[in-house]
Amino acid sequence: CGSVSQVPVAEGKSVQQTVELLARRLEALGADKQGTFGVDCETYHTAAALGTQGQTGKLMYVMHNSEYPLSCFALFENGPCLVADANFDTLMVKLKGFFQNAKANKIESRGTRYQYCDFLVKLGTVTMGPSARGISVEVEYCPCVIANDCWNLLMEFMQSFMGSHVPGIPSVFGSKHDSAYSPGDTMVQYMELFNKIRKQQQVPVAGIR
């Protein structure tokens, strides 16, 4: 199971410089680079013709994760997470009369994967269009699938390189109780992170250039 969180840009640094700083801390711990990763998210809204007058259309997020190359994830805010095969993208094109792609809202995180003992860390730069918008950190404790059993261990490891920026327990952990953590739970966390970063863009962010 894992945690996905945002790390603020260090004072006086750019997004890229802050990512490099975190990478150096991980490497100093003894973490090894294990290739790259990517998570992307496209926003679809229900076509206006389908919405009841005066009612806001629902948003749906279609997401991909390089860890699961044969899968596509469709999520509603506060709703279910559908896991489908990669052909789901073709289906969305056919459903354009029902769901319209808000292309300007595409957001993604790309970066480097690190392995440290039983932990997998993905350090990513979040971009919208050509601009770096923030930093994502995903930390997965590979041997454990019951979220609440490993949160303290995850938190202790995150403190070793994130310092005071360790996040609170993810909301998906609270809803899992003793059930197994799934890839969909990671995607819900990325969706929440991307939406948070989108909202932050409504005000200028210092240190991003």
Side-chain angles (χ1 to χ4, degrees), residues 55-179:
Q55 190 179 332
T56 311
K58 265 198 159 189
L59 295 178
M60 182 171 74
Y61 303 95
V62 176
M63 304 180 68
H64 305 88
N65 187 330
S66 57
E67 289 293 300
Y68 314 105
L70 301 179
S71 297
C72 180
F73 301 83
L75 301 90
F76 289 97
E77 261 184 306
N78 308 315
C81 171
L82 168 72
V83 184
D85 66 29
N87 289 333
F88 189 78
D89 290 311
T90 312
L91 179 64
M92 290 307 295
V93 173
K94 292 180 178 175
L95 291 176
K96 63 185 176 187
F98 300 93
F99 288 99
Q100 292 167 354
N101 189 336
K103 291 187 186 300
N105 271 348
K106 181 167 183 181
I107 187 167
E108 58 187 359
S109 180
R110 299 198 174 276
T112 307
R113 296 164 89 254
Y114 292 89
Q115 186 86 37
Y116 176 73
C117 300
D118 287 330
F119 293 97
L120 183 61
V121 182
K122 295 172 201 164
L123 190 52
T125 300
V126 180
T127 56
M128 277 183 76
S131 308
R133 303 291 193 179
I135 300 156
S136 70
V137 177
E138 179 189 345
V139 181
E140 182 183 348
Y141 181 59
C142 302
C144 182
V145 293
I146 306 299
N148 293 317
D149 287 355
C150 66
W151 174 248
N152 288 339
L153 192 60
L154 268 174
M155 191 167 62
E156 192 176 318
F157 172 62
M158 287 190 287
Q159 279 171 341
S160 67
F161 70 97
M162 292 169 70
S164 61
H165 299 305
V166 171
I169 189 164
S171 57
V172 292
F173 279 34
S175 60
K176 297 305 284 187
H177 300 296
D178 293 327
S179 57

